[in-house]
Amino acid sequence: MVLRCFGDIEPRPNVEGRVKLTEEQREQEKANFPCANFTKTTQAIKKITFSFLLDSMNFDYDYLSLDVIQTLINEKGLGSLARKLKEEGLIIQMNANENSCDGQETDLFCIPWIGIKLTDEGFKKVPRVIELVGEYLNMMQDKEIPDDFYEDYLKIEELTFQYADQSDEEYLTQSITQNMDYVEPENLVKKVAHRVPTKKDAKHLKEVLKPYVLSKCRIDIQGQEMPEYIKEHKIDKSKDYETVIPYFETQSTRLDLKSFIGEQTHQKVLSGYYGSYFHYPSKNEFMPDHVTVEELDGDKYTIPVNLSESEDDVIQAYYSQDLVYRIPKACLVANMLFSAKHDPMNRIYFDILQNYLHDEYQAGPGYQAYKASFQSYVDRNDHVGIEFFISGFSSKSCLLYRRALEFIFDCFINPKESTFKRARESRIRNCIKYMNNSDVYMEVAVVGVLYTFTCPVETRKKLLEQQATFEGFK
């Protein structure tokens, strides 16, 4: 039996067997920070990565702090970096994570990073992306993390462990043994190798956060061809690329960051400036406020029962109880039925709608629900129209359902052209990927209430590029 404690756990000092690296090896890696590079790749990617160097890692507390920092950078709601970048149509997606050099077996350091996939527009405006990332990092340096964040973090960790979904023995064993290097063996039984950040960790977290500034990071821009506006800011203009890596067939060159993003912008970001559009998330309304297991109502709901007054009602609701796995959670699936002409153009618009809803839902209630341990999504359903799914703690399931309905209706009433363009661009990229990787057209044959037709991928690409308009989408 494994127990989990959410109090203090001291790190295990001087773990034996960790590889000791020489000062020369350390200095070689440190020489890559800070800098800005453009790398020409063989793949059709448009990406920018911000890397940060954390030396002499304390493998318990520092990784705990990194988890907090990455959670805050990965925010998708109001005030977040991802939301601002997407509002300006600059990015497809963004993710913050870390790589420890040579895994967990060295005493070197950790290299956390922020990876951003750019839109076509974003690839033309890389300096603006760098500026906004720099501003958000300045906000994190300046503002204190709200107390609500620590309270919610602790609450959801306790509840998700206490009322965990079923998992197999292999996963449970692996999750425990991964921490054996960092915690004394007796703590694996007494407390378990897991500690949740609290308010008293704020001071140490600020120390770990110090390298997260534009002046100390490494910036890597990747693309198949270097745009002309980037070539103007190369440090060495005597050759196209200074570094060639034959195995990966990539070439790279150093950039003058100050001139690239503009001297005035560079100075502004380095001075600590950030716009009022950046702030930490407000309190999460989907955090459960109580965990009560509802009493079974006899045999009445052992199978799904239609709760609607009539089978002719516009809304049909079915309910059943779980008689075996008794935990304070609920699962809800809602389907919205549409009627539409059976033609390829409607298929194209529903393809775009799928990406549109996913993008907007994550920027709205979806990410907050995820942090409250909900599994939820809003998606297109080929047979019924739109499907909404939630699974999580019962006390806030109805609230999330209401918020999701409000979100869906708002998307229909007030669609955003910028989100539409991103969704259409994503669908075009998918078509190009299929066309480049296969000589056989991918055919889509759907039989349902929406449409029945077959559409080759090349035709879909042309429809997306030439006929799919925002007015038609609305």
Side-chain angles (χ1 to χ4, degrees), residues 158-252:
E158 289 178 322
L159 292 177
T160 52
F161 180 76
Q162 184 177 359
Y163 300 105
D165 294 329
Q166 292 174 314
S167 60
D168 57 38
E169 297 86 346
E170 182 181 354
Y171 171 78
L172 184 61
T173 303
Q174 184 182 21
S175 63
I176 298 302
T177 54
Q178 284 176 343
N179 292 296
M180 293 183 70
D181 272 353
Y182 313 126
V183 177
E184 295 291 350
E186 57 268 25
N187 282 333
L188 291 173
V189 176
K190 291 181 180 179
K191 298 182 178 180
V192 158
H194 184 85
R195 196 172 80 80
V196 173
T198 61
K199 183 66 177 176
K200 71 177 184 178
D201 295 308
K203 184 177 180 180
H204 182 74
L205 196 150
K206 279 289 185 183
E207 288 296 313
V208 178
L209 191 60
K210 282 183 177 179
Y212 280 82
V213 288
L214 201 62
S215 60
K216 295 182 180 180
C217 80
R218 172 189 172 116
I219 301 173
D220 291 285
I221 308 161
Q222 299 176 6
Q224 275 190 310
E225 293 294 337
M226 187 190 307
E228 289 297 325
Y229 82 95
I230 294 182
K231 289 181 181 179
E232 300 173 8
H233 305 284
K234 290 172 53 181
I235 292 177
D236 185 357
K237 294 183 172 63
S238 62
K239 48 183 136 181
D240 291 337
Y241 297 94
E242 299 97 75
T243 306
V244 179
I245 306 176
Y247 182 79
F248 295 103
E249 298 182 6
T250 61
Q251 306 173 74
S252 63

Side-chain angles (χ1 to χ4, degrees), residues 312-370:
D312 297 326
D313 286 352
V314 175
I315 297 177
Q316 297 288 310
Y318 295 85
Y319 171 71
S320 67
Q321 290 183 323
D322 189 339
L323 305 180
V324 180
Y325 203 48
R326 306 290 294 147
I327 57 175
K329 290 185 177 182
C331 179
L332 186 151
V333 181
N335 289 315
M336 301 179 67
L337 192 64
F338 288 85
S339 59
K341 287 177 63 178
H342 298 179
D343 62 34
M345 206 59 226
N346 271 341
R347 170 68 192 209
I348 293 298
Y349 281 129
F350 268 89
D351 282 347
I352 295 173
L353 179 64
Q354 180 179 13
N355 287 65
Y356 186 104
L357 289 174
H358 179 268
D359 202 10
E360 285 295 291
Y361 182 67
Q362 287 303 313
Y367 190 71
Q368 296 302 313
Y370 166 76

Side-chain angles (χ1 to χ4, degrees), residues 58-304:
N58 176 318
F59 280 89
D60 182 56
Y61 292 122
D62 287 359
Y63 272 108
L64 179 71
S65 299
L66 280 179
D67 190 49
V68 173
I69 293 168
Q70 288 157 14
T71 298
L72 293 170
I73 294 175
N74 283 326
E75 281 287 338
K76 294 178 174 63
L78 287 172
S80 69
L81 175 59
R83 177 125 179 183
K84 179 62 176 174
L85 289 167
K86 285 196 172 185
E87 282 178 352
E88 297 194 13
L90 302 174
I91 71 167
I92 300 168
Q93 64 181 40
M94 186 191 83
N95 180 46
N97 212 319
E98 90 283 331
N99 291 328
S100 54
C101 295
D102 296 327
Q104 297 174 343
E105 302 303 320
T106 76
D107 70 336
L108 183 54
F109 32 59
C110 178
I111 303 179
W113 48 266
I114 304 171
I116 300 174
K117 290 185 178 180
L118 301 169
T119 60
D120 292 341
E121 185 69 16
F123 199 57
K124 298 174 184 176
K125 298 179 178 179
V126 173
R128 177 59 175 165
V129 175
I130 296 173
E131 179 184 359
L132 290 174
V133 171
E135 286 189 26
Y136 190 81
L137 296 177
N138 289 343
M139 185 277 293
M140 294 183 70
Q141 298 285 344
D142 181 58
K143 287 186 176 292
E144 294 294 331
I145 298 174
D147 292 347
D148 289 342
F149 174 85
Y150 297 104
E151 294 169 5
D152 289 346
Y153 207 118
L154 175 61
K155 176 187 285 187
I156 205 62
E157 284 284 349
E158 289 178 322
L159 292 177
T160 52
F161 180 76
Q162 184 177 359
Y163 300 105
D165 294 329
Q166 292 174 314
S167 60
D168 57 38
E169 297 86 346
E170 182 181 354
Y171 171 78
L172 184 61
T173 303
Q174 184 182 21
S175 63
I176 298 302
T177 54
Q178 284 176 343
N179 292 296
M180 293 183 70
D181 272 353
Y182 313 126
V183 177
E184 295 291 350
E186 57 268 25
N187 282 333
L188 291 173
V189 176
K190 291 181 180 179
K191 298 182 178 180
V192 158
H194 184 85
R195 196 172 80 80
V196 173
T198 61
K199 183 66 177 176
K200 71 177 184 178
D201 295 308
K203 184 177 180 180
H204 182 74
L205 196 150
K206 279 289 185 183
E207 288 296 313
V208 178
L209 191 60
K210 282 183 177 179
Y212 280 82
V213 288
L214 201 62
S215 60
K216 295 182 180 180
C217 80
R218 172 189 172 116
I219 301 173
D220 291 285
I221 308 161
Q222 299 176 6
Q224 275 190 310
E225 293 294 337
M226 187 190 307
E228 289 297 325
Y229 82 95
I230 294 182
K231 289 181 181 179
E232 300 173 8
H233 305 284
K234 290 172 53 181
I235 292 177
D236 185 357
K237 294 183 172 63
S238 62
K239 48 183 136 181
D240 291 337
Y241 297 94
E242 299 97 75
T243 306
V244 179
I245 306 176
Y247 182 79
F248 295 103
E249 298 182 6
T250 61
Q251 306 173 74
S252 63
T253 185
R254 290 283 176 105
L255 304 176
D256 183 341
L257 181 62
K258 188 175 182 180
S259 70
F260 181 48
I261 67 173
E263 187 172 349
Q264 186 175 356
T265 300
H266 186 264
Q267 185 60 39
K268 181 179 71 173
V269 174
L270 263 58
S271 69
Y273 169 83
Y274 59 91
S276 58
Y277 37 75
F278 287 137
H279 56 80
Y280 283 129
S282 55
K283 186 169 179 59
N284 193 339
E285 64 175 341
F286 301 125
M287 286 291 172
D289 47 16
H290 66 86
V291 282
T292 305
V293 180
E294 296 294 333
E295 293 296 325
L296 290 173
D297 192 358
D299 297 330
K300 186 176 180 181
Y301 299 115
T302 55
I303 59 174

Side-chain angles (χ1 to χ4, degrees), residues 397-461:
S397 293
C398 289
L399 175 63
L400 177 55
Y401 179 56
R402 287 198 298 271
R403 293 288 183 267
L405 287 179
E406 292 168 0
F407 154 78
I408 292 171
F409 292 136
D410 184 62
C411 284
F412 289 160
I413 296 170
N414 303 301
K416 299 177 182 177
E417 188 169 5
S418 59
T419 307
F420 165 79
K421 288 180 178 178
R422 285 199 308 272
R424 183 180 63 180
E425 186 178 319
S426 176
R427 282 290 167 180
I428 292 173
R429 283 196 306 272
N430 285 343
C431 290
I432 293 172
K433 181 177 69 174
Y434 283 115
M435 291 167 66
N436 289 342
N437 293 342
S438 175
D439 294 328
V440 180
Y441 289 135
M442 182 188 69
E443 294 188 348
V444 180
V446 178
V447 179
V449 297
L450 296 179
Y451 31 64
T452 303
F453 72 95
T454 300
C455 184
V457 66
E458 189 175 67
T459 302
R460 293 170 63 196
K461 178 175 176 292

